[in-house]
Structure formats: structure tokens, C-alpha cells
Amino acid sequence: MRTGERRPTLADVAAQAGVSTALASIVMRDAPGASEATRRRVLEVADRLGYHPDSRARLLRSGRSRLLGVVFGVQHAFHGDLVTGLYEAAEKLRYELALSAVTPRRDERTAIGGLLQDRCEALLILGPQSPTSELATLASRMPVVALGRDVRHRAVDVVRNADCEGLHQAVDHLVSLGHRRIVHIDGGRTPGTAERRRGYRDAMRHHGLDAEIRVVPGGPTGEDGATATAPLLTDPPTAITVFNDLAATGVLDALRRAGLSVPGDVSVVGYDDSRLARLTYLDLTTIAQDTAAMTTLAITRAVDRIEGETVTPRELVIPPHLVIRGTTGAHLAEKPA
Amino acid sequence: MRTGERRPTLADVAAQAGVSTALASIVMRDAPGASEATRRRVLEVADRLGYHPDSRARLLRSGRSRLLGVVFGVQHAFHGDLVTGLYEAAEKLRYELALSAVTPRRDERTAIGGLLQDRCEALLILGPQSPTSELATLASRMPVVALGRDVRHRAVDVVRNADCEGLHQAVDHLVSLGHRRIVHIDGGRTPGTAERRRGYRDAMRHHGLDAEIRVVPGGPTGEDGATATAPLLTDPPTAITVFNDLAATGVLDALRRAGLSVPGDVSVVGYDDSRLARLTYLDLTTIAQDTAAMTTLAITRAVDRIEGETVTPRELVIPPHLVIRGTTGAHLAEKPA
DNA sequence: GTGAAAGCGCTAACAT
DNA sequence: ATGTTAGCGCTTTCAC
């Protein structure tokens, strides 16, 4: 029974194995300096006792925590992908992750506070929302890496997606399919909007389509997408690039309700390659962020900072890539003039 | 500059405030036994130094961690809702949460191992997948609460949704709208399938619709839903209850492709009230699990176990509720006989 | 290869 | 109200 039992400590293991705690410690840490026989004996006892080293005590003594704090939004599907990559990258460098979630009822400041108490050696913040000044204060005490969102302060490292290039790729793809009348529905006041819009404009110009440039104010939600689509229905373009996948679903819905077929009449490109985009019945062509690269770089950056390396540049901008699915198709014939 | 700086310790704060560490500790813990003046002075210094108590040392010394370990699937949107509730419930009881994620590349065993090292006093596992035997071993060492999935072992507490009742509600709703030909597409080998199927059958019998009972083998994904719908299209029922929301989206898609309107020709009910169901363009009638109740009870249960209370029953089954949206409507006329 | 002893930052028990 | 002392479980010298 559990009652009355105490968790076994290293001293218990050492005693039962007939060695000093120091030696037992060496074995448990897999450090050099113990004979094969001792090693086996100690491990056997530890296993029998169900011993797990107390990371608190261990880290307290060794002065370091080898702990990287991660602040993420528990509602953001995309953050899930990032966390997956972060675990993997951290493990390779023998660091651990301490997760702290932002929820509708738990703000970023609270989430960060928890991690500070855990003595993380660096902070990785996914889509930081705190004012730059607060992040700067933090960054004066420990390395801070912002993931997926720009933070303009010289003490904060940033790893983010090349939004601009993403929209360039979307437009390139559509142009290669024969489209010319390509509209962009932007993200309203959502972070990243400006850069994606700029990517669209640049790309259109690059293809000599200056005259066709048309940006419609939108937003990040499905309804934003649907609303923004309405005014386009009287004289629809042949293709639409949308700020993100969620808004793109609204666009798709609005188009289909209006009797237009996708991609027959109109092609649509989203952004993020979220779970949504992959749903069979949506099958949305989209721009995927390179989460593997982003997470690896973020962890590497944090660890480099911890270990005092000088690193440049402060801002790492990772190119995304196009994922072609079923919502884009060739624009075969121009309307007869 | 950060280099060369050391994090301030309680001793630093105490020294600068001109008091002993014990007194400073009292202030930081907000414990009784310090004068108002001292309190103010210490807090002021702590703030100026950017002092954060070291939870490791604190907990090491006090022998308890007041830490509840939470294992969750980072990909599961529903787990996000649960984590939100867990944070809130834990805070009320002055416990903290240690999050450990299961990802495509990090299995449940690894996730649990991390928490054991953190000296959590109990484990809350969302949708546990480990074999019962492993959970039982764990439970012999510390309180273990399984959330959202049944675990048949006397040492493991379970807090879960009343799947059976959920489908009862779905059928009741459809019957009240005049439906009689109601099909259930089940979840294949997904946990919970059997109970939801049973709920459907019971409810149909309860309404004297024994002859109409029809269960189609399905699964948890959108494609499963679409595939399961195909054989129904030759002679479609007037309503379909689907194992979960994701599969329901596949059903919706298959119906619409076949030229059937929802809810005009066929009504559809999902399960989970996931983010998906709430999307404007899906607007899916569904069964919502009561996450607030589930999380509160799970935390309460874990804490009761920690504090040695005797608690019954081992298994807490929480009734869900119907959320009526746009995919269900009245069945107006039976086909002329 | 192994053991003895000190101490990480903090809290608790006991002084004063 | 405040200070002193001991020690949580571990790692780290530094002996042997």
C-alpha cells in the first residue's frame, strides 16, 4: 500500500547496494568512475526500489537546470506542431522542456512567471503577446527567443516564418497555372498581415501584374474570410490568396454558396498548412511553415545564448514551402474579349 | 549585461533588506510573522532585484511539491480545453500543474517519466493509452487519475464523459424533430465506441424504434465518416448520429456531394463540440462534454487522494449536453407510402 | 574505484 | 517580530 511509504532516495539505493551515495550518484548519472559490477548492482537496486532521481535536488546542487521554458497557446493547433519539434530538438542537446500554457483564463505573464520559478535557463515564447518592454526586461535576465512572431528589440532573439516569401510562392504557383486576376484577402490587424500583403504585392509586380493587384481587408477567422469574399462575387477573380487557412475555409464556403466551383471557377490558397487544410473534404492548397527548421533553430539559439556564444543574426527568418492540394487548378481559358 | 550575473537568491534579498533569510522567507511566502514595515521593505528589494523564489529549493525543503503532473496530447484540441480547466481548478486548491506532452515523437511513457522526476504528487492522464498494467504500477506509487477514458483497475481513478447518455440525447433530439430512420456511424476501434453505440441502441429502443436500429462501422477520421456514408446513399435515412465531430464532417461532405441537403434531406449530429463543430460553415449540432465539471472533479479527486481522504466512487461519469446548431432540422413529411 | 564531507537555496523548528 | 540552526536529496570536490 502507498500509505506510510516514502519515495526511495539515493541514500536508500546506496545503502541497499552497499556503496556510498557518491558512488551511487555516479552510476545514476551514467558518469565515468564506477566498476561494471557496481554499476549493475546499483541499477538493479534502483529498479527494484522504483527509484527515480529527484530532479529538483539534482539541479539545485549542480547549479544548473538544463531546463528550457516554453510558453505556448493551448488552443493553437500550430503551437502543438512547434512543441513537438521543440521536444525533439531539446532532447538532442540534452536539455529538458518545461511547458507553461496560455489559456483563455491564464495570461502570458502568469505562464512566464511559473517558468521563472522553475529556474529555466532560457525562455521560448510561441507567438508572444506581451508588450515588447516586458519581454525586454525578461531578456535582460535570461535568453528569450520569440517563435513565430516578430519582436523588435535587440535583446530578444526571433525565429519566424518568411511570411513575405510565403505569399510570393502562392502567387508564383497561381501564375504558373495561368492565373492573372489574383486577389489577396488579408488578415486585418493580425500579426503577419503586413508582411504577407507585401509578399503578395511584390510577387504580383514581379510577374508584371501591377494592374491586377487587389487587396481586400479580411481577418483571421472563417467569418472574416466569408465576409471579405462577398464583394468579390459580382465579378469574381480567378484566384484568391487568403491570409490563413481558417479564413480560407470561409472563402471556400462563400464561393460554393454562390454557386462557384473550386478550383473550376476560382482557385484558393491558404496559409499555415493547419490540420484544417489537410482535412480530406477541404483539401486546401496552402503555404506550410517549416516547423522542423524553426524549432531546431530556436532551441539551438537558446542553448547558444545560455552557453555564452555570440550569435548573429538576432532574427532568423525561415522560408516556408508550398503544399499543393485540391483547391488550385489551371486557369484554362480567359473570358473571350 | 547578463554575463557574469547571478540570479538573486533569498540571501541576497535578505542582506539588502537588512533582515535574516528566515524573515525574508516569511515575507516571500506571505506567511504570518513579519511586521508591515519589514514586509514592504523586503518586497521592494525583491522586486528591484528581480527575485523569483527557486521552486526547486523551496519544494525540496518543504518535502512536498504541491505539483500535479498532467499528461496531454498536444495534437488534441479537446485536451486543450481540459488543460484550461485543470489550471483553473488547481489554482483554487493552491496546487500547480506540471505539463508533459505526448507528441507523435514522444510517447506516453516518456511523458510520464518526466513528471516522475519532477516529484509530482499525483498524475492526471488525459486519454491514457498505456496498458492498464503500467498504469496500475504507477498507481501503486502515487494517485493516478485518468481523464476521458475508462481504465479498469481499482487503483486508478477515472473521470469521464457519459458516452452512453450523450448518444441518448442525440437520438432524443432527433426523435423530437420527427425523425425515425436514424442511423449511427460508430467509431470503429476507437475507445468509447462501444458505449456510444450502446447509447444509440438503448435510445432507439426506448422510443420504440427497435426496427429502425442500424449501426454502420466507421472510425474517428473524416475519411471514415465519408466511407461509412457511401452505402447509405442509395436509400438515405433522415438522420445520422456520428461517433465524433471529425467523422461527422466527412459525413456532411459525402451527403452534399451526393446532392443531399443538410438538414433539409438529412440531419447530422456529431460528438465532442470540438472547434470544428463551431466553425460557421459547418455549424454542426453535437454533444458537448462538460469540461468544467470533468476538470474540477479530476483535480479534486487527485488532491483528495494526496491528502489521504477515502473517496468513492472510483469512477466519475459526467453527463454531456446537447448543442443544437444548424445540421439538424425537423423531418416534416414521411415519403408517401 | 570508492568514500567523506560540504553545500546548492530554501523552509521549519526552535530560540530570543 | 526577528534570528539561529539544521537539513531536504542530491552533486561535487578531494581525499584514499
Side-chain angles (χ1 to χ4, degrees), chain B residues 97-133:
Chain B
L97 254 42
L99 261 38
S100 190
V102 172
T103 79
R105 305 248 228 327
R106 187 175 194 258
D107 63 20
E108 191 169 296
R109 171 184 291 219
T110 308
I112 291 172
L115 293 176
L116 288 178
Q117 299 208 156
D118 288 342
R119 284 299 180 268
C120 296
E121 301 187 30
L123 243 42
L124 299 160
I125 309 181
L126 312 194
Q129 299 168 332
S130 303
T132 302
S133 63

Side-chain angles (χ1 to χ4, degrees), chain A residues 222-275:
Chain A
E223 295 198 63
D224 292 328
T227 308
T229 307
L232 299 175
L233 294 174
T234 49
D235 181 21
T238 70
I240 305 178
T241 58
V242 190
F243 174 70
N244 71 10
D245 290 343
L246 187 51
T249 63
V251 172
L252 289 176
D253 193 47
L255 290 173
R256 285 175 180 149
R257 277 186 209 277
L260 292 167
S261 90
V262 177
D265 297 315
V266 185
S267 287
V268 174
V269 183
Y271 205 112
D272 280 347
D273 193 24
S274 61
R275 209 146 299 272

